[in-house]
Amino acid sequence: MKSKLIVIEGPQGCGKTTLANYLRENIAGSNLFRLTGNKDKTITGKEKSKDMYLALLEYMKKLEVCDVNLIFDRTFFTDYVYSLLGYKEYKYDDVYEELLTMFSNLNYDIYYISLYLEDSNIYEERLKRVHHNYQAFSKESSVRQQNTYKSLINKIKEHKNIKVYEIAMDDFDKAYLKINEIFEINNK
């Protein structure tokens, strides 16, 4: 049986950290990684980001035989979304395609979980928490991110080794029921 490789993506305030913690607590033998990406938004940041994610994919590859599940709260998908939204000074399409192909060829049961909110007004409350100053937090920004993440889904689904799920995080309990079904979690 292959280990699981789970990537959780979505806009600021959608519940990535909450879901990542839940998975870490409920899937035995799991390591949780929280990535923030590269803070260099200039053209030199593109190479830094590429190098970082190539190293990360190499690390994932080395762990394929270690019988450990990997959970990632953000990865290179975020860098791509941020570049598409103009938060970066560079285009990331070529790097993204290379990373996505390498990612899909890893020897794991790969899950890409895209989170969103059906009621975008919930972002307002969730974004009041303390946060880093890398990217401005606002309902409008999160909605733009959400729409951009949704636009990636069909292309990701073309990679047959990646199981893609879109999960609404408006109600955590309902989201957990869906997650429990996907990962066969029985916490009764």
Side-chain angles (χ1 to χ4, degrees):
M1 181 181 280
K2 294 180 188 177
S3 295
K4 293 173 181 59
L5 171 55
I6 304 166
V7 171
I8 303 167
E9 291 281 354
Q12 297 160 332
C14 69
K16 289 180 303 299
T17 298
T18 301
L19 181 59
N21 290 341
Y22 181 83
L23 288 171
R24 170 63 186 93
E25 293 166 5
N26 288 283
I27 298 176
S30 295
N31 289 329
L32 172 58
F33 301 83
R34 288 210 162 82
L35 306 180
T36 60
N38 189 310
K39 66 181 179 180
D40 184 349
K41 298 178 184 184
T42 69
I43 193 67
T44 59
K46 180 178 180 178
E47 282 305 311
K48 292 175 187 175
S49 176
K50 179 180 178 179
D51 290 345
M52 180 181 82
Y53 288 117
L54 287 173
L56 182 63
L57 286 165
E58 184 178 315
Y59 174 72
M60 291 178 194
K61 181 115 183 98
K62 287 181 179 180
L63 294 182
E64 286 174 341
V65 297
C66 293
D67 197 29
V68 64
N69 299 305
L70 307 177
I71 302 167
F72 287 89
D73 180 345
R74 294 197 182 276
T75 59
F76 61 89
F77 296 95
T78 298
D79 276 62
Y80 185 49
V81 166
Y82 281 15
S83 74
L84 290 172
L85 290 169
Y87 301 162
K88 309 271 187 176
E89 292 179 12
Y90 53 82
K91 298 291 181 205
Y92 205 65
D93 300 58
D94 56 334
V95 174
Y96 173 74
E97 290 299 327
E98 179 182 354
L99 296 173
L100 180 57
T101 299
M102 292 174 69
F103 176 75
S104 71
N105 288 324
L106 291 168
N107 190 26
Y108 290 90
D109 281 331
I110 302 174
Y111 299 83
Y112 175 87
I113 301 175
S114 183
L115 304 182
Y116 67 96
L117 295 179
E118 292 174 335
D119 179 358
S120 62
N121 292 318
I122 296 172
Y123 283 121
E124 290 175 3
E125 185 60 35
R126 291 192 185 166
L127 292 174
K128 290 179 183 176
R129 70 186 192 283
V130 176
H131 52 79
H132 302 286
N133 292 323
Y134 175 74
Q135 186 59 43
F137 281 42
S138 71
K139 172 185 169 182
E140 294 76 21
S141 176
S142 289
V143 169
R144 287 181 63 221
Q145 290 172 35
Q146 177 170 298
N147 293 336
T148 306
Y149 278 107
K150 284 185 174 282
S151 74
L152 302 181
I153 296 297
N154 288 334
K155 184 76 171 165
I156 297 169
K157 285 180 179 178
E158 290 176 11
H159 295 266
K160 301 301 181 200
N161 193 34
I162 303 175
K163 298 168 188 77
V164 178
Y165 295 93
E166 295 179 83
I167 298 179
M169 291 293 287
D170 301 62
D171 180 320
F172 290 136
D173 290 332
K174 286 182 182 177
Y176 293 155
L177 288 174
K178 179 71 175 167
I179 288 296
N180 291 349
E181 179 183 308
I182 293 167
F183 294 105
E184 299 177 357
I185 296 171
N186 183 3
N187 47 1
K188 291 182 181 177

